[in-house]
Amino acid sequence: MKKPWGGRFSKETDDVAERFTESVSVDTLLCREDIRASIAHAEMLAENDLLSEEELNAIRNGLKEIRSEIDEGDFEFDEALEDVHMNIEAALVERIGDPARKLHTARSRNDQVACDMRLWVRNRIDWVNTLLRECQRELVTCAENNDSAILPGFTHLQHAQPLLLSHLLLAYVNMLQRDRDRLQDCRRRTNVSPLGACALAGTSLPVDPESTAAKLDFDRPFDNSVDAVSDRDFVLEYVSSL
């Protein structure tokens, strides 16, 4: 498959450069998010008469087939195709032909990648939040089952006041709640759809960012297209929250 940036080059990329620039060994983590976002984008295109119903069905069914192969471990990612997005795109073209090439109508790799990352981070926030909530429940249960146990409290590395074990355990419930609060605050900023921003300045085609945002359970679409494709603050916030 021809590289999207290769139009100015007459020769094949050197193997060393191929290995240096590939990201598929890492960004396969985004494969399910990429497929989900592509299906939502295709549905929006069809709603706005940029795809026929037949083309939409071919794209949707082809992407679902690829997702099943990925889930079953039967999909082979090719480092020569550089990233997860090009791997999925090439597989879709191979399966359904020309309709697959229309999937990038009114979408750039820029807003596609930004969308996938937001979906992935949001999913991870929800997963971590669930684990923290379960941990809190276990701590509360342990505190209730040991409500009369006493242990020495320490301050400045020395014995201080006697302390109920339950009191100590519930302190960690509070600490974990602050972690959950930070994650939820990060989720609010993460949960904004960049689709429709395209490369950086939108598109003249009749698209509906509100529609794709709703299909992907985002709170709302972007405010500013340049910011939408360049913002990665939410990734740093998520990592810092951990």
Side-chain angles (χ1 to χ4, degrees), residues 183-195:
L183 285 167
Q184 289 305 305
D185 191 45
C186 172
R187 191 188 196 280
R188 178 174 59 83
R189 280 181 290 279
T190 301
N191 206 31
V192 178
S193 174
L195 289 180

Side-chain angles (χ1 to χ4, degrees), residues 38-232:
S38 289
I39 290 173
H41 180 68
E43 290 172 347
M44 183 278 295
L45 292 177
E47 291 168 0
N48 290 275
D49 299 322
L50 295 170
L51 284 179
S52 69
E53 196 65 28
E54 183 179 358
E55 290 170 329
L56 170 62
N57 288 333
I59 289 171
R60 187 161 47 199
N61 292 337
L63 288 171
K64 288 181 178 179
E65 181 181 299
I66 292 169
R67 184 175 61 198
S68 293
E69 289 183 15
I70 292 172
D71 290 342
E72 293 166 7
D74 297 329
F75 188 88
E76 291 189 14
F77 289 95
D78 183 359
E79 285 189 1
L81 293 174
E82 295 189 356
D83 61 30
V84 63
H85 322 290
M86 289 181 65
N87 269 266
I88 291 173
E89 185 178 327
L92 188 63
V93 169
E94 184 180 342
R95 283 165 170 75
I96 69 172
D98 285 341
R101 296 182 173 91
K102 294 186 177 183
L103 186 55
H104 262 290
T105 302
R107 186 178 69 168
S108 164
R109 190 74 73 203
N110 294 6
D111 60 344
Q112 179 184 6
V113 171
C115 182
D116 293 354
M117 291 186 69
R118 286 179 179 274
L119 289 172
W120 188 86
V121 170
R122 186 183 69 186
N123 289 340
R124 299 301 290 184
I125 288 173
D126 291 344
W127 177 69
V128 172
N129 183 55
T130 298
L131 293 179
L132 291 175
R133 184 177 65 240
E134 292 303 313
C135 185
Q136 285 177 306
R137 287 176 176 169
E138 290 299 319
L139 287 168
V140 170
T141 298
C142 188
E144 290 173 342
N145 292 337
N146 297 276
D147 60 350
S148 59
I150 300 174
L151 73 164
F154 283 79
T155 178
H156 298 85
L157 303 179
Q158 299 182 44
H159 286 85
Q161 296 170 287
L163 187 68
L164 287 172
L165 174 60
S166 58
H167 195 58
L168 177 62
L169 293 173
L170 294 177
Y172 285 94
V173 173
N174 282 9
M175 297 176 201
L176 293 176
Q177 186 59 48
R178 288 195 295 275
D179 292 332
R180 292 181 62 193
D181 291 344
R182 277 187 285 269
L183 285 167
Q184 289 305 305
D185 191 45
C186 172
R187 191 188 196 280
R188 178 174 59 83
R189 280 181 290 279
T190 301
N191 206 31
V192 178
S193 174
L195 289 180
C198 296
L200 80 165
T203 175
S204 59
L205 292 169
V207 296
D208 185 0
E210 293 275 359
S211 174
T212 45
K215 293 178 191 302
L216 295 170
D217 298 318
F218 285 115
D219 292 334
R220 59 182 176 84
F222 60 91
D223 293 321
N224 180 286
S225 62
V226 176
D227 180 57
V229 296
S230 59
D231 174 25
R232 297 295 185 273

